[in-house]
Amino acid sequence: MIRKRLLPRPRSRNLPYLLLLPALALELVVHLVPMVVGIVMSFKRLTQFFIRDWSAAPWDGLANYRMAVDFHAPVGRALLHSFWVTCAFTVLAVGLSWLIGTAAAITTQDAFRGRGVLRALFLLPYALPVYAAVITWSFMFQRDTGLINHVLHDQLHLVDDKPFWLIGDNSFTALVTVSVWRSWPFAFLTLTAGLQNIPRELYEASALDGAGVWQQIRRITLPSLRPVNLVLVLVLFLWTFNDFNTPYVLFGKSAPEAADLVSIHIYQSSFVTWNFGAGSAMSVLLLLFLLLVTALYLLLTSRRRDTA
């Protein structure tokens, strides 16, 4: 019996678009429509008097934007302060997360007994739900009953008096600590995947040439991880700069001045003072800033890639 050879069925050119249609529709409903509504709200005098019917709020033009960027007025000064706090917080959190993640990934690159268990332990902070993890840290940062002060004051005697971690200037240190603890496992996971693509022959050849561990890391590991790091740093920056869950769970609705991030500041302007027009304007300004930074970052990295 001779089997007929089946010819491949022609694929429809519209099939990829049909497969993307559910994702595009969900993106439209979840992100684009609320974004457009928020932009419209930023041009209205939307206060607590128009919450029942926000469309009836009077049109206010650019008044909300002028108030937000007037750095000589209280609202503008407070927004500028929270912006600089967020910048400092982002630089420290992203830098430390990348550094710890890189060190952990390089340390566990070679096989050894217990490496799988150690890698699983490293990923625990990333696997825990954000609210459960941050609430645990808030208990640990309590002045009188927290584990942090118990270790620093009662066990190690590194401080003379138990400091307050959730109020005052120390709140910034507490916020950075929790953010780094939650973020570095993602950097570790991403860089561990990137290390698998580096041929072992490069390390063996460099070892024969007399290269030490630090020379191999500087000459082979870090240059090979450059494409991964370009994406990793951008993702960490966007996540950290926009982080709302960590400060909200750690400090509540009103964060201390030293830890007043832009995300919490916008929340206070919208849901505490009930000025949704000003809060929407601040959100749009934050979106424009992040888009500008992302565009500049992609432009600079693409130019370096082309000249390399």
Side-chain angles (χ1 to χ4, degrees):
M1 182 177 180
I2 301 177
R3 296 183 178 179
K4 295 183 179 180
R5 186 176 180 181
L6 299 177
L7 297 177
R9 301 175 65 178
R11 295 183 178 180
S12 173
R13 294 183 178 181
N14 297 326
L15 180 60
Y17 301 100
L18 293 176
L19 295 177
L20 288 175
L21 187 59
L24 293 176
L26 189 62
E27 180 73 16
L28 178 66
V29 174
V30 175
H31 290 102
L32 295 183
V33 172
M35 185 184 302
V36 173
V37 173
I39 294 175
V40 174
M41 290 170 57
S42 67
F43 294 101
K44 288 177 170 288
R45 192 183 304 165
L46 184 55
T47 60
Q48 66 267 31
F49 303 107
F50 300 97
I51 294 178
R52 176 173 295 182
D53 185 11
W54 70 272
S55 60
W59 190 264
D60 213 11
L62 297 176
N64 291 321
Y65 291 93
R66 286 193 293 266
M67 180 177 61
V69 299
D70 185 5
F71 302 132
H72 299 287
V75 176
R77 283 198 304 268
L79 180 61
L80 182 63
H81 169 76
S82 65
F83 172 78
W84 290 121
V85 170
T86 307
C87 289
F89 162 73
T90 302
V91 170
L92 287 175
V94 172
L96 291 174
S97 297
W98 177 85
L99 183 62
I100 298 174
T102 302
I106 294 176
T107 303
T108 58
Q109 182 180 8
D110 295 329
F112 58 88
R113 182 177 297 179
R115 184 181 66 168
V117 177
L118 187 60
R119 283 180 170 178
L121 291 176
F122 284 168
L123 293 176
L124 274 180
Y126 186 67
L128 288 176
V130 56
Y131 287 96
V134 179
I135 286 176
T136 303
W137 273 101
S138 66
F139 283 114
M140 293 170 61
F141 278 125
Q142 295 297 318
R143 180 181 184 272
D144 297 323
T145 59
L147 179 63
I148 303 298
N149 281 341
H150 176 71
V151 174
L152 295 178
H153 182 266
D154 300 335
Q155 299 295 327
L156 301 179
H157 305 289
L158 295 179
V159 292
D160 297 331
D161 192 14
K162 294 182 178 180
F164 290 95
W165 291 104
L166 300 181
I167 59 175
D169 295 337
N170 290 330
S171 59
F172 182 81
T173 303
L175 181 61
V176 172
T177 301
V178 178
S179 179
V180 172
W181 183 82
R182 290 189 56 245
S183 299
W184 80 263
F186 175 77
F188 161 73
L189 181 64
T190 305
L191 294 172
T192 298
L195 288 173
Q196 308 308 312
N197 296 323
I198 303 178
R200 298 300 304 172
E201 292 79 7
L202 295 179
Y203 293 101
E204 296 172 357
S206 63
L208 293 176
D209 292 337
V213 176
W214 294 110
Q215 290 178 331
Q216 290 179 350
I217 293 175
R218 188 177 63 177
R219 302 292 185 181
I220 299 176
T221 305
L222 293 181
S224 300
L225 288 176
R226 186 173 180 272
V228 178
N229 281 323
L230 292 179
V231 179
L232 174 62
V233 171
L234 179 60
V235 172
L236 287 177
F237 165 76
L238 293 175
W239 283 359
T240 306
F241 208 96
N242 276 319
D243 190 10
F244 173 80
N245 294 329
T246 302
Y248 181 79
V249 178
L250 196 61
F251 304 116
K253 295 181 179 180
S254 58
E257 186 177 359
D260 184 24
L261 301 185
V262 170
S263 57
I264 290 292
H265 190 83
I266 294 175
Y267 172 82
Q268 292 175 345
S269 299
S270 300
F271 294 96
V272 177
T273 62
W274 300 100
N275 194 340
F276 291 95
S280 299
M282 295 176 186
S283 299
V284 173
L285 292 175
L286 175 61
L287 174 63
L288 294 177
F289 170 76
L290 293 177
L291 289 176
L292 177 62
V293 172
T294 302
L296 291 176
Y297 180 83
L298 295 176
L299 180 62
L300 292 176
T301 53
S302 63
R303 286 184 177 179
R304 290 182 181 180
R305 193 183 306 113
D306 295 337
T307 56

